[in-house]
Amino acid sequence: MLLTSKDSSGIAEICFNGSKFYYEVLDVLEFTSDRKRMSIVVKEVKSGKFLLLTKGADEAIFPRSCPGEQTKTYLEAVEMYSHLGLRTLCLGCRDLEEDEYKEWSKKFQDASCSLDNREHKIAEVCNSLEQGIHILGITAIEDRLQDGVPETIKLLRKAGINVWMLTGDKQTTAIQIGLLCNLITPESKGQLLSINGKTEDDILQSLERALTIMKTALERKDLAFVLDGWALEIILKRSLESFTKLAMMSRTAICCRMTPLQKAQLVGILKSSGSLTLAIGDGGNDVRMIQEANVGVGISGREGLQAARAADYSIGKFKFLRRLILVHGRYSYNRTAFISQYSFYKSLLICFIQILFSFSSGLSGTSIFNSISLMAYNVFYTSLPVMTIIFDKDISEATVLRYPQILLYSQAGRLLNRSTFAEWFGRSLYHAFVVFLITINAYADEKSDMEELSMVALSGCIWLQAFVVTLDTNSFTCPQITLIWGNFVAFYMINLILSAVPTLQMHTVMWHLCNQPSYWITMALIVAAGMGPVLALRYLRNVYRPSAIDVLQQIEQTDGHAQAPGNLESSTGTYLDYLLTDLRRNKSSIHQPLLSDSASSR
């Protein structure tokens, strides 16, 4: 049977076994997530016969079959196809009398024109016609997984990300898809807890049983749970707290027969419990879920562009998600952590120097820096080096994908937390003391004026910041070197030009300083005193207490022959495994991120 054409008047041409049949499409009973079926009313042009044609989920079609219909064979077929991971669709039809159709059509038009509770009225009218259906057959469609889906999910789970599947498919089909894509493990290695029952009490009992098993066997088996939309509706009404506890303990879940609203509700539950959520989908049914999540990712493809247009990010294939999260997401977090803390550092540095000068000048209110220097400090002198971080990569993309567990550093807030912020705060205070004390002792005499003292202190800040950015840069490229040291050179060029303007207070100051050997000796002392302890502490930490990132950097630099600390007496690989395992074990450790309310990510 083949639909060969359909004109604007609604006449459809069907070709079957070489014969052509013409049908007029009279009404369309649209599909909704609540109805789980779609129907059309057609009229055969030649005979004038009225037909209702229906397709939908088995649980939506079989209960509406005509009395005495033998559905056992169809049910067995649906179950068999589901175990094969195929998506099933039931087809049915019903003959209509002309008078019956006309009476129903009037009710359908009235419901469609209603301004009060229109959707509910339309559903009731449609349901009244979709009764006594004769089952025609079952179709099974293989919705093949995209390339790279199992590998992507495996990497995401190794990275400490909890992966849930929210789908409208049957439970059996969803479980088979979960096995195929490495979402759940076979029974020999894991356990799938089913939350279901014939009554509400049965469902609540299975929920409590699953929660008990999850608490006692979490460390011994890879546990996951599965539930359907009806069970979720009951749980949300009567046992939301228990379900939230189960959700927080489970790394994997399969939620089947979910409506778009229920998908969004599940995402909302996880968000309200403190987890960061990412939702990915490719169809219109996923739009609510994508918009509810902290980060929404839409896949553009055969399902249309609705999900992609509603999302924060759009990708072409599911496998691109691993680079989006593990590579670009991680690099973005690292760069944001550095920029935010470095911005505080450079601003606090100049503030602390002003505070120290205020105390030394008897709180006179005099500023050590002139107005031009203060204005240009953040705009010209220190802005370009910060931009170099957009090119920085602490470890290569290949290494990140090889060791996805390193993402746990970001999830646990290891690079941006109270302790790292305190470290940057302490560094700015220490550098302020270094710049101020060396400058005061070198230039606070009768032969030096205030403008020279100001320029020496400002120069010390610029020198230190250039070395700080260089020290915290992991990979050097031509743009990075140009921005860091080009900005350093630009500082002297700008001030030499300003020193040539007779009307400014800075007239001849920089020219005079650059001709003095004592100025360059002062800068060398500031850099040595300011960066020496920082380099020493970093060296000792890398030698005696390296992090997983430090070990991976050593492996990259020595082509896989890095040595672990001697006090652990283990190979690099074993030590790295120890660090990565410790990251997972202490995922919710004392490191609390400053950019979110929770250290967990889902």
Side-chain angles (χ1 to χ4, degrees):
M1 183 177 292
L2 179 65
L3 174 64
T4 57
S5 66
K6 182 181 178 181
D7 58 26
S8 58
S9 62
I11 303 297
E13 181 183 84
I14 306 295
C15 184
F16 181 68
N17 288 340
S19 302
K20 294 183 179 181
F21 301 88
Y22 296 90
Y23 292 89
E24 179 184 359
V25 180
L26 300 177
D27 290 293
V28 177
L29 287 62
E30 298 288 353
F31 173 88
T32 66
S33 56
D34 294 326
R35 284 167 31 80
K36 298 181 181 179
R37 61 188 181 276
M38 174 185 176
S39 303
I40 62 171
V41 179
V42 298
K43 177 184 178 182
E44 188 176 1
V45 176
K46 184 177 181 180
S47 63
K49 184 179 180 181
F50 290 83
L51 287 174
L52 172 72
L53 304 177
T54 304
K55 65 176 183 179
D58 56 285
E59 68 264 27
I61 301 297
F62 289 153
R64 290 168 175 78
S65 61
C66 58
E69 184 84 22
Q70 297 297 323
T71 59
K72 182 179 180 181
T73 303
Y74 299 116
L75 288 171
E76 292 175 351
V78 169
E79 193 67 20
M80 179 188 67
Y81 291 141
S82 298
H83 280 292
L84 296 175
L86 304 178
R87 292 185 169 181
T88 59
L89 194 67
C90 298
L91 306 177
C93 70
R94 179 193 169 195
D95 293 333
L96 299 177
E97 298 294 335
E98 183 176 358
D99 294 339
E100 179 187 7
Y101 166 71
K102 290 182 177 180
E103 181 181 354
W104 175 87
S105 180
K106 185 178 183 304
K107 294 179 181 179
F108 183 68
Q109 291 178 1
D110 293 340
S112 300
C113 297
S114 176
L115 300 178
D116 183 26
N117 204 11
R118 178 168 53 185
E119 293 183 358
H120 178 69
K121 291 180 179 179
I122 291 176
E124 285 187 343
V125 174
C126 293
N127 184 63
S128 65
L129 189 67
E130 296 169 327
Q131 302 292 335
I133 297 173
H134 173 63
I135 308 298
L136 296 177
I138 306 293
T139 64
I141 302 173
E142 181 183 8
D143 190 4
R144 290 187 177 181
L145 292 176
Q146 295 182 3
D147 294 336
V149 172
E151 295 81 2
T152 300
I153 292 179
K154 184 178 180 180
L155 280 177
L156 295 179
R157 296 189 68 193
K158 287 181 66 177
I161 298 175
N162 298 345
V163 183
W164 286 29
M165 181 170 70
L166 313 182
T167 178
D169 291 334
K170 286 176 61 66
Q171 179 170 314
T172 309
T173 304
I175 292 174
Q176 293 302 315
I177 294 175
L179 289 170
L180 290 174
C181 65
N182 286 334
L183 183 63
I184 55 177
T185 55
E187 293 184 0
S188 58
K189 298 180 180 179
Q191 184 177 359
L192 184 62
L193 307 175
S194 181
I195 302 175
N196 55 21
K198 296 181 179 180
T199 64
E200 294 187 6
D201 292 336
D202 290 342
I203 292 174
L204 298 178
Q205 289 177 5
S206 64
L207 172 63
E208 295 299 329
R209 183 168 55 253
L211 184 59
T212 302
I213 296 175
M214 193 74 70
K215 290 179 180 178
T216 57
L218 188 59
E219 298 297 330
R220 297 194 299 271
K221 277 191 174 184
D222 189 2
L223 297 178
F225 70 87
V226 57
L227 82 164
D228 58 21
W230 181 64
L232 178 64
E233 184 178 354
I234 295 171
I235 290 172
L236 295 183
K237 291 180 180 179
R238 299 184 54 182
S239 189
L240 177 58
E241 184 177 353
S242 297
F243 179 75
T244 303
K245 292 179 181 178
L246 179 66
M248 292 298 97
M249 297 175 63
S250 177
R251 296 194 59 210
T252 306
I254 296 178
C255 304
C256 53
R257 288 305 190 202
M258 293 286 124
T259 65
L261 177 60
Q262 288 177 324
K263 291 181 181 181
Q265 286 176 331
L266 280 174
V267 174
I269 291 172
L270 297 177
K271 282 179 61 178
S272 63
S273 62
S275 295
L276 298 178
T277 58
L278 181 148
I280 180 170
D282 61 355
N285 290 339
D286 302 316
V287 170
R288 285 191 182 183
M289 173 183 68
I290 289 173
Q291 293 177 335
E292 179 67 25
N294 297 104
V295 179
V297 180
I299 301 177
S300 56
R302 293 178 300 175
E303 299 290 335
L305 297 175
Q306 283 182 289
R309 290 170 177 168
D312 301 303
Y313 300 93
S314 176
I315 57 179
K317 294 183 179 180
F318 184 86
K319 66 180 181 180
F320 297 155
L321 186 64
R322 58 185 168 189
R323 284 181 54 81
L324 179 64
I325 296 178
L326 301 180
V327 178
H328 301 295
R330 182 179 173 277
Y331 285 157
S332 178
Y333 169 80
N334 292 354
R335 294 161 183 169
T336 302
F338 175 80
I339 289 177
S340 58
Q341 294 176 115
Y342 174 76
S343 298
F344 277 103
Y345 158 78
K346 66 186 183 69
S347 298
L348 289 172
L349 174 60
I350 201 168
C351 290
F352 283 141
I353 293 175
Q354 179 62 49
I355 292 173
L356 293 173
F357 179 77
S358 297
F359 283 111
S360 66
S361 62
L363 301 176
S364 62
T366 303
S367 174
I368 189 174
F369 301 107
N370 57 56
S371 58
I372 295 178
S373 297
L374 289 175
M375 178 189 67
Y377 178 73
N378 282 314
V379 178
F380 300 109
Y381 300 156
T382 61
S383 59
L384 289 181
V386 177
M387 301 301 295
T388 63
I389 199 64
I390 65 177
F391 304 102
D392 192 44
K393 298 178 180 180
D394 55 347
I395 52 180
S396 66
E397 297 181 10
T399 302
V400 173
L401 295 176
R402 183 180 178 185
Y403 300 99
Q405 302 96 317
I406 204 67
L407 183 68
L408 290 165
Y409 260 80
S410 304
Q411 293 177 310
R414 298 294 181 96
L415 301 179
L416 181 57
N417 53 70
R418 293 180 179 88
S419 61
T420 59
F421 185 82
E423 180 182 341
W424 281 95
F425 182 89
R427 186 187 299 187
S428 64
L429 182 60
Y430 171 69
H431 284 173
F433 271 104
V434 169
V435 172
F436 179 75
L437 293 177
I438 293 179
T439 301
I440 289 295
N441 284 279
Y443 282 86
D445 52 29
E446 296 179 357
K447 297 181 181 180
S448 301
D449 60 17
M450 190 64 184
E451 289 299 327
E452 286 187 352
L453 184 68
S454 171
M455 187 56 63
V456 171
L458 183 63
S459 300
C461 293
I462 301 302
W463 277 69
L464 282 177
Q465 289 179 55
F467 279 94
V468 165
V469 174
T470 303
L471 180 63
D472 282 88
T473 299
N474 297 285
S475 59
F476 289 96
T477 61
C478 290
Q480 287 174 286
I481 297 173
T482 302
L483 288 174
I484 294 174
W485 297 105
N487 187 83
F488 180 78
V489 174
F491 164 75
Y492 281 95
M493 294 181 62
I494 292 173
N495 282 281
L496 287 173
I497 293 172
L498 293 176
S499 296
V501 180
T503 58
L504 296 178
Q505 294 179 349
M506 299 169 57
H507 181 53
T508 71
V509 171
M510 183 57 79
W511 291 97
H512 179 65
L513 288 175
C514 290
N515 290 325
Q516 293 180 354
S518 60
Y519 170 77
W520 302 107
I521 295 175
T522 302
M523 293 301 103
L525 288 174
I526 289 175
V527 172
M531 299 306 299
V534 176
L535 288 170
L537 289 174
R538 179 164 295 191
Y539 173 78
L540 293 174
R541 188 194 66 184
N542 289 347
V543 171
Y544 295 103
R545 197 179 177 183
S547 65
I549 295 178
D550 297 328
V551 175
L552 290 176
Q553 288 175 338
Q554 293 176 22
I555 292 175
E556 290 185 341
Q557 293 169 3
T558 58
D559 195 24
H561 296 92
Q563 296 298 319
N567 59 344
L568 286 178
E569 299 181 355
S570 60
S571 66
T572 302
T574 304
Y575 180 59
L576 181 60
D577 291 339
Y578 163 78
L579 289 175
L580 295 178
T581 303
D582 184 65
L583 273 178
R584 183 179 298 280
R585 184 169 55 249
N586 298 318
K587 180 179 176 181
S588 299
S589 62
I590 59 173
H591 302 282
Q592 293 297 323
L594 295 180
L595 293 183
S596 66
D597 298 330
S598 172
S600 61
S601 179
R602 190 166 294 271

